[in-house]
Amino acid sequence: MDEKKYESIIHHIMSFVGGFLGGFAIFNFSHTFGSSETSNMIYLVQTLLGKDFIGFVIRMVALFIYSLGLIFTIVIPKFSRVNLKIVSVIINFVGFIALSFMPTDIDYMIFLYPVFFMSAFQWNVFEECGGYRSATIFLTNNLRQTVLSYVNYFFEKDREFLNKAIFFTLTLAFFLAGVAYSYYVAQIFAEMGAIFGAIPNAAALFFILKEQMLIDKEEQEEEEEEQEVELTK
């Protein structure tokens, strides 16, 4: 299996994880989508204008946590060569465990703090696959790209448009499959079901490690070839 194949598999598994995260928040917490900050910032304005100081502070902290998730994807590579994909799935593991043991009688926005950080970090790490910009934590742009690609293929008959349409269709399918998975988990286990997100996350980690081993092998072979060239000079 080549690197592109691993990249595609990992992307779609992480879309499944993203679907689980989004569904987990919506099915358990008053239809709140924890993977995006749009609704939170709208309610942020509402709490400010409505003079709900506590609600405003809670949502400001949520915005800060989400921003931190994005910031760390830039800061970490400045000081380390660690694989951010591995870091992201480890963060998800910790988050799923934390969510499973958090008290359920706290404000639902506070309960979702781990989801905000997990989603933001995952979004910025798994943002591209095969040259396509594709988020794994929400669907709007993926839907847009799917529709436009099929329409362009219908008129242009360019195979590239069809390949693009298939890629984004699979991304949508895996995300929605993750949503369906979270629905049944929520029906049975409610908030405690967060731990079940670790299963697809573990599958992603397996393929990420396989991909990293392939990359390391290719880099080692390139170094050996360069050394042989230097010796023949």
Side-chain angles (χ1 to χ4, degrees):
M1 193 179 297
D2 61 18
E3 190 177 339
K4 288 184 178 180
K5 188 66 174 177
Y6 278 123
E7 182 184 30
S8 179
I9 292 172
I10 293 165
H11 173 83
H12 290 114
I13 293 176
M14 293 310 295
S15 294
F16 186 98
V17 174
F20 178 86
L21 270 175
F24 171 81
I26 288 175
F27 299 139
N28 286 299
F29 301 102
S30 304
H31 306 289
T32 300
F33 187 52
S35 300
S36 169
E37 274 300 293
T38 304
S39 61
N40 181 49
M41 288 191 287
I42 290 173
Y43 284 117
L44 192 65
V45 174
Q46 182 189 51
T47 54
L48 177 63
L49 298 180
K51 299 180 181 180
D52 178 3
F53 178 72
I54 295 177
F56 178 78
V57 171
I58 289 174
R59 291 184 179 280
M60 277 298 297
V61 173
L63 177 60
F64 177 71
I65 290 172
Y66 199 94
S67 299
L68 274 183
L70 299 174
I71 291 169
F72 276 119
T73 63
I74 302 300
V75 173
I76 292 175
K78 301 293 183 183
F79 300 95
S80 172
R81 295 185 62 187
V82 65
N83 187 332
L84 283 184
K85 293 180 180 180
I86 295 176
V87 176
S88 181
V89 295
I90 290 175
I91 288 172
N92 283 355
F93 277 127
V94 174
F96 287 133
I97 294 171
L99 287 166
S100 298
F101 291 98
M102 287 181 69
T104 57
D105 57 347
I106 59 176
D107 187 287
Y108 71 93
M109 284 297 294
I110 296 175
F111 195 103
L112 290 176
Y113 281 172
V115 175
F116 291 131
F117 189 87
M118 295 158 69
S119 297
F121 199 96
Q122 179 176 319
W123 180 22
N124 229 30
V125 172
F126 300 93
E127 62 177 348
E128 183 177 348
C129 178
Y132 302 131
R133 302 282 291 186
S134 173
T136 60
I137 64 166
F138 36 66
L139 290 183
T140 307
N141 183 61
N142 292 320
L143 175 62
R144 170 177 172 267
Q145 294 296 337
T146 302
V147 172
L148 294 180
S149 297
Y150 278 120
V151 173
N152 278 314
Y153 177 71
F154 178 80
F155 286 105
E156 304 297 335
K157 297 300 185 290
D158 186 338
R159 182 73 187 182
E160 173 54 31
F161 285 123
L162 181 59
N163 292 338
K164 186 176 182 180
I166 292 171
F167 169 83
F168 281 102
T169 299
L170 285 172
T171 301
L172 291 174
F174 272 85
F175 186 96
L176 293 175
V179 173
Y181 175 54
S182 70
Y183 172 80
Y184 287 109
V185 167
Q187 291 296 306
I188 300 172
F189 301 101
E191 298 91 340
M192 288 288 292
I195 195 65
F196 285 89
I199 298 174
N201 201 59
L205 179 60
F206 172 79
F207 285 104
I208 290 169
L209 293 174
K210 294 283 287 185
E211 179 191 44
Q212 186 61 57
M213 289 172 60
L214 179 61
I215 293 172
D216 291 342
K217 181 181 178 181
E218 290 175 349
E219 289 179 351
Q220 184 178 354
E221 289 175 351
E222 288 178 4
E223 289 179 2
E224 290 175 354
E225 288 177 2
E226 290 175 0
Q227 290 175 359
E228 290 178 1
V229 171
E230 288 294 326
L231 291 173
T232 56
K233 288 183 179 180

